[in-house]
Amino acid sequence: MAVRGSGELKIEFYAHLEEIKDLYFNQGFVVFKILHKKIVEKHKLSLDYQAFCYYARKELKSEKRVSISKEQGVIGDIDASKKNKENIIIASPNFSKVKRYVPFNEDNN
């Protein structure tokens, strides 16, 4: 049994980090509870859920796999809108023209 503070939990997690990353990023296991259960049952680990979540947040959540290039146009459009502030449309609700709903009116009988 791994004892907290001895480093065994950390070693167990990082020994299987590549498989955890593969399950998380490539196979879609984004729920830590399911990911923990799958890893612990497969490798017969004594890694508890709390320690798994601690290291998983540290390793998986900090890594950003989304990359948007300027060729895709998203960053280019954002940069262009910052330069041309007169082209930005700001919408705000206008409540003065809202009609009140009357469910029953004596005139409608």
Side-chain angles (χ1 to χ4, degrees), residues 7-64:
E8 290 179 29
L9 299 174
K10 188 174 188 177
I11 292 168
E12 282 186 353
F13 179 84
Y14 284 104
H16 303 286
L17 182 60
E18 289 305 315
E19 184 179 356
I20 293 168
K21 282 185 177 182
D22 180 55
L23 290 170
Y24 184 81
F25 291 116
N26 299 331
Q27 296 183 25
F29 286 91
V30 294
V31 178
F32 283 171
K33 189 170 189 174
I34 298 169
L35 186 58
H36 170 259
K37 185 177 179 182
K38 188 167 184 73
I39 292 291
V40 167
E41 286 177 355
K42 183 176 181 182
H43 298 288
K44 308 279 191 272
L45 302 177
S46 60
L47 180 63
D48 63 348
Y49 180 68
Q50 186 178 7
F52 178 84
C53 288
Y54 175 78
Y55 295 118
R57 270 190 226 102
K58 203 172 174 182
E59 290 296 322
L60 303 176
K61 297 290 185 177
S62 64
E63 241 182 81
K64 298 194 177 173

Side-chain angles (χ1 to χ4, degrees), residues 62-76:
S62 64
E63 241 182 81
K64 298 194 177 173
R65 292 287 179 139
V66 178
S67 60
I68 301 173
S69 64
K70 286 190 176 187
E71 291 80 32
Q72 291 174 337
V74 176
I75 293 174

